[in-house]
Amino acid sequence: MTKIIFMGTPDFSVPVLKRIIDEGFEVIAVVTQPDRPVGRKKVLTPPPVKVEAEKQGIPVYQPEKIREKEELEKIIALGADLVVTAAFGQILPNELLEAPKYGCINVHASLLPELRGGAPIHYSILQGKEKTGITIMYMAEKLDAGDILTQAEVAIAEEDNVGTLHDKLSKLGSDLLAETLPKLINGELKPIRQDEDKATFAPNIKRSEEKIDWSKTGGNIYNQVRGLNPWPVAYTTLNGSVMKIWQASKIEHGNQEAPGTIIEVQNDGFIVSTGNETAILITMLQPSGKKKMPAKDYLRGAGSFIKAGMKLGEQNEAN
């Protein structure tokens, strides 16, 4: 039986691990990131992959840096035939890449060479793409640059956000891996080199990318809202306080008010002008220090002061 080491960390990786087990492969170890403090109370929390591995009775390794000699030697000594990674979060050193009989492969959430990096799901929506997918490729010491083994596409719906697309891609990744593993082991796949000239990148989201610039087009702002939901969430400011924008929709309004101006207050939310004639209707928000709530509830309560003509995101407001 083929002995596999699985490396992954977040929720995305869990269905992939479970599928490998369900397909009858022997997972001899799971390697994941160390437990991290989570939330305002900084509660030390295990990664989702660790939780699943312990349920399955699989030994877990949590190196802070997999390149450290002692940690690396432990993992190589396990004698895996294949290493499978999915959103592990560290680049593997060449010594490990060359150790397994069938190599090291990665399940990546984009159609490589597009969107290499740690946030491909976010950027596929932020960039307004109509499709994305899964690539399974050999790993290399360069970020997401290994030869491609298999790919599968998925359409990005107009209403998709990072959460819904994440779930689609996680399922697609587990399905594609189940198809790929037997072909890989039987030598039936011909790896395809990536075209470096077509490579694009999806680095981790910066705080500066979360703030809404109302001078952008309504379409771009709509993509920003859904491309950062449920994490890290787009935000604006109102009267100097941060307001996270969880959900919104596009409205063809034609109003020529300055970008960021509230041009209409409705029962289910309020409409904000942008850099073109596509306005944004805010329908789910989170005031500073509060839980997220429907905009209609906010307008009936703490936000009852909101009126047409007020502005969001003024440059002199606090970030």
Side-chain angles (χ1 to χ4, degrees):
M1 183 179 290
T2 303
K3 296 185 293 183
I4 293 176
I5 292 175
F6 180 79
M7 299 184 178
T9 299
D11 288 321
F12 177 86
S13 313
V14 174
V16 182
L17 170 61
K18 292 172 72 174
R19 188 62 178 271
I20 295 171
I21 297 167
D22 290 345
E23 292 295 316
F25 292 97
E26 182 185 2
V27 179
I28 60 172
V30 162
V31 182
T32 188
Q33 299 279 20
D35 297 4
R36 305 289 190 198
V38 173
R40 291 183 179 180
K41 295 184 178 179
K42 303 296 183 183
V43 177
L44 196 63
T45 303
V49 163
K50 178 182 179 179
V51 174
E52 182 61 32
E54 290 180 339
K55 284 183 186 176
Q56 303 280 354
I58 301 170
V60 177
Y61 296 78
Q62 294 180 274
E64 188 69 49
K65 292 182 180 179
I66 200 168
R67 290 177 175 272
E68 291 181 357
K69 188 174 187 299
E70 185 178 345
E71 300 287 355
L72 185 59
E73 288 176 349
K74 284 181 187 176
I75 293 167
I76 292 175
L78 295 172
D81 299 309
L82 174 68
V83 171
V84 178
T85 73
F88 173 50
Q90 298 186 42
I91 295 177
L92 306 190
N94 193 59
E95 187 178 353
L96 176 56
L97 295 178
E98 294 181 349
K101 176 181 178 181
Y102 298 112
C104 300
I105 64 173
N106 181 44
V107 181
H108 183 75
S110 80
L111 296 172
L112 292 171
E114 288 189 346
L115 302 181
R116 296 176 179 177
I121 304 176
H122 292 78
Y123 275 89
S124 65
I125 296 178
L126 289 170
Q127 294 178 0
K129 293 184 180 295
E130 295 182 353
K131 68 177 181 180
T132 185
I134 292 290
T135 300
I136 297 178
M137 84 284 192
Y138 280 122
M139 297 194 73
E141 280 199 280
K142 185 178 177 182
L143 181 66
D144 297 327
D147 293 351
I148 294 170
L149 293 168
T150 54
Q151 289 186 313
E153 294 182 359
V154 65
I156 301 176
E158 179 75 7
E159 65 275 10
D160 268 329
N161 59 32
V162 168
T164 60
L165 187 57
H166 167 282
D167 293 347
K168 291 180 184 179
L169 287 169
S170 184
K171 173 66 164 57
L172 181 64
S174 62
D175 289 344
L176 183 61
L177 183 64
E179 296 174 14
T180 302
L181 285 177
K183 295 177 183 178
L184 173 66
I185 292 166
N186 292 330
E188 299 171 7
L189 296 175
K190 184 177 180 180
I192 300 171
R193 187 176 299 276
Q194 292 189 43
D195 186 343
E196 290 293 327
D197 292 337
K198 295 181 179 178
T200 62
F201 295 89
N204 292 333
I205 303 295
K206 298 177 182 177
R207 176 65 173 170
S208 59
E209 295 171 289
E210 299 168 27
K211 187 174 183 180
I212 296 172
D213 178 355
W214 292 102
S215 68
K216 292 185 176 180
T217 68
N220 283 339
I221 293 169
Y222 174 69
N223 289 341
Q224 181 182 10
V225 170
R226 65 196 188 103
L228 298 177
N229 176 3
W231 182 88
V233 188
Y235 77 94
T236 188
T237 51
L238 176 62
N239 293 337
S241 295
V242 169
M243 175 183 286
K244 292 184 177 182
I245 308 300
W246 283 81
Q247 290 180 17
S249 58
K250 295 183 290 186
I251 302 288
E252 295 305 322
H253 199 277
N255 193 286
Q256 297 301 313
E257 295 283 352
T261 303
I262 297 173
I263 51 183
E264 187 178 340
V265 179
Q266 300 183 342
N267 289 334
D268 58 345
F270 49 97
I271 300 174
V272 184
S273 61
T274 68
N276 66 353
E277 293 188 351
T278 301
I280 293 294
L281 172 63
I282 296 173
T283 55
M284 182 73 70
L285 54 80
Q286 185 175 1
S288 181
K290 306 289 185 182
K291 294 181 179 180
K292 71 175 181 178
M293 65 185 73
K296 62 182 180 181
D297 293 346
Y298 177 68
L299 291 170
R300 285 199 297 262
S304 58
F305 67 92
I306 289 182
K307 300 289 187 293
M310 298 179 71
K311 287 197 71 176
L312 302 177
E314 293 283 15
Q315 291 300 313
N316 62 352
E317 292 178 5
N319 287 343

